[in-house]
């Protein structure tokens, strides 16, 4: 399945401190042709960051956190 209209850049926030997580994101970006801007966010600051980003043009598109952080 292909989509003709999609964002070329995805802004992603995550709390994953695993050493290979950024490698996984890079491989995904390369395979899909997307640009993935990822930032590691401390769990305690995540909610504040998301609320502040709602008023900017660089809002977070995707948030990845472990289920127990929800």
């Amino acid at each position: 399945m292909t989509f003709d209209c999609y964002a070329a850049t995805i802004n992603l926030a995550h709390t994953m401190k695993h050493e290979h997580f950024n490698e996984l994101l890079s491989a995904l970006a390369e395979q899909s042709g997307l640009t993935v801007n990822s930032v590691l966010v401390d769990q305690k600051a995540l909610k504040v960051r998301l609320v502040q980003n709602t008023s900017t043009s660089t809002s977070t598109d995707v948030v990845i956190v472990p289920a127990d952080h929800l």
Side-chain angles (χ1 to χ4, degrees):
M1 177 181 293
T2 61
F3 297 96
D4 294 331
C5 289
Y6 62 88
T9 301
I10 295 176
N11 296 311
L12 180 140
H14 63 89
T15 60
M16 308 298 287
K17 293 182 181 178
H18 192 276
E19 62 187 83
H20 299 293
F21 190 70
N22 283 331
E23 292 175 24
L24 176 66
L25 289 176
S26 296
L28 173 67
E30 185 177 323
Q31 289 175 358
S32 65
L34 297 172
T35 300
V36 178
N37 297 325
S38 67
V39 62
L40 175 65
V41 180
D42 183 67
Q43 176 62 30
K44 295 175 185 173
L46 183 62
K47 182 178 178 181
V48 173
R49 180 181 178 85
L50 293 175
V51 170
Q52 289 174 342
N53 282 346
T54 59
S55 62
T56 66
S57 61
T58 59
S59 63
T60 303
D61 300 310
V62 178
V63 178
I64 299 176
V65 296
D68 60 338
H69 286 188
L70 294 177

